[in-house]
Amino acid sequence: MAVFDLFSRRLYLRIWLAVVGGVAVLTLAVGWAWRIAAEQNAQSMAPPAREVVLRDSEGHTLVAGLATRVPGPPGEGLELSIDSADGSTYSLQLAPRGDRGNHPGPNRRADAAFWTRPPFGFLWMLGLVGLAVAVGVFPIIRRLLQRLETLQRSVQRFGEGDLSVRVPEQGQDEVAHLARQFNAAAARIEALVKTHKSLLANASHELRSPLTRIRMGLELMGGQQPSPAFREEILRNIAELDQLVDEILLSSRLDAREADVGTVELVDLIGLAAEECARVGADLDVSASADALQVRGVAKLLRRALRNLLENARRYSQGTITAVVQRHNGQARLSVLDQGPGVPPALRERIFEPFYRLPGASERAGGVGLGLALVRSIAERHNGSVRCDDRPDGASGACFVLSLPLAPASPTATTAPAPH
């Protein structure tokens, strides 16, 4: 029972047995067909009847007639049937070659031929073929199935909570493709879990700060009527809490690809940029765009991305803020240029991480470190991208470039999750 359980659980043993059994059945079928064909061939190629004359020592004719071969088992000698002229039938039997009856002698060809005569010769051939197949196929199947066992153990460890486990990617076959797919899925899940843990940890920290300030302010009031400045400070902290909760919820919806985040429609990027620039007092440059630039997406998300870029520029800029809308390499490009301290090249990727702020920026008014992370999520949701560069004119400051694919010539609006 233990041996049966071993063979039923181990895939490589079952495949090996299937190959060996298949070769054995094939060998039996070929041997059986070969023997039938040989017998039919022997019968069809039997020599025609020939004149046979049997005389005694004095030359007198004993039997004369036509002799034909009588079919018989291979190795049993030769038997002839002789039909004489008077109508009598005689039988002539010749012993197998090498058969000398009971006379001992050095000729042992009959004994040696015993193992080669049917069915023993075929059984020996079957055994040798089976042994060769079993020995030759086993290491090949074992090596192939070891990769599947490695994948199985990795999946088990991953299911037990070890999100860092990966499978070696060897070869170009289906097993290697499965290993690559598992590694890609494991990397995405690990990154998603880390992002959610980071989001929860940083959100708890960011929520605690305004709540502490509100609680301290209420204790200092001591039941008295708050002053206008104190009331304004409380309202500012409440607005900061509201903004943080809103951005956390939006970030969670963007991470869930199946979530419905709005209606996909045609959006006039120039008109959207004009409205947002007027709200913050930024300059809009559309001289490089000969006509309207339309993209397909969720208008409120694109507005949120542009607003976050402009708010970020207004928070750090010490001069004019300029938004440039243009067509570039088949895409709509929106650039926001400020005159602030700029972003060091080594940190231009990290500023798009959730809750990351430049050194020394945590004390600035406004901002919780999610604005630029939301811009990247919105851009990726629309098959676009965002990056931070130096200003093209060489002046001090930063340049944030949002690139989105242009809409087709004649699109139709749909109500569905944003493209991804």
Side-chain angles (χ1 to χ4, degrees), residues 3 22 39 131 133-134 204 249 253 256 262 385:
V3 175
E39 292 177 354
L131 180 62
V133 171
S204 62
L249 293 177
R253 288 199 302 270
S385 62

Side-chain angles (χ1 to χ4, degrees), residues 109-239:
R109 295 175 59 187
D111 295 337
F114 171 77
W115 300 106
T116 60
R117 293 202 305 265
F120 301 104
F122 176 69
L123 292 178
W124 277 108
M125 181 182 67
L126 176 61
L128 291 176
V129 170
L131 180 62
V133 171
V135 173
V137 171
F138 181 82
I140 300 176
I141 296 178
R142 186 70 185 101
R143 179 177 177 81
L144 174 63
L145 272 298
Q146 275 181 338
R147 296 159 61 195
L148 286 179
E149 291 181 357
T150 302
L151 179 61
Q152 183 267 336
R153 290 191 295 267
S154 300
V155 172
Q156 182 178 0
R157 289 175 52 195
F158 188 83
E160 293 173 353
D162 186 4
L163 302 183
S164 63
V165 65
R166 297 295 183 270
V167 182
E169 301 176 5
Q170 302 174 353
Q172 299 295 329
D173 54 7
E174 290 81 358
V175 179
H177 179 70
L178 181 60
R180 285 190 289 269
Q181 293 296 323
F182 170 78
N183 290 341
R188 288 194 297 268
I189 294 175
E190 184 181 17
L192 184 61
V193 171
K194 286 183 178 180
T195 301
H196 284 180
K197 288 182 178 180
S198 175
L199 183 65
L200 291 175
N202 288 283
S204 62
H205 172 75
E206 297 294 339
L207 286 170
R208 189 176 294 113
S209 299
L211 286 175
T212 302
R213 292 195 296 267
I214 294 175
R215 184 183 299 109
M216 183 179 298
L218 292 176
E219 292 177 355
L220 293 176
M221 285 173 53
Q224 300 178 0
Q225 186 70 19
S227 63
F230 192 76
R231 179 181 178 85
E232 182 180 353
E233 178 66 19
I234 293 179
L235 292 177
R236 188 185 67 82
N237 284 280
I238 293 176

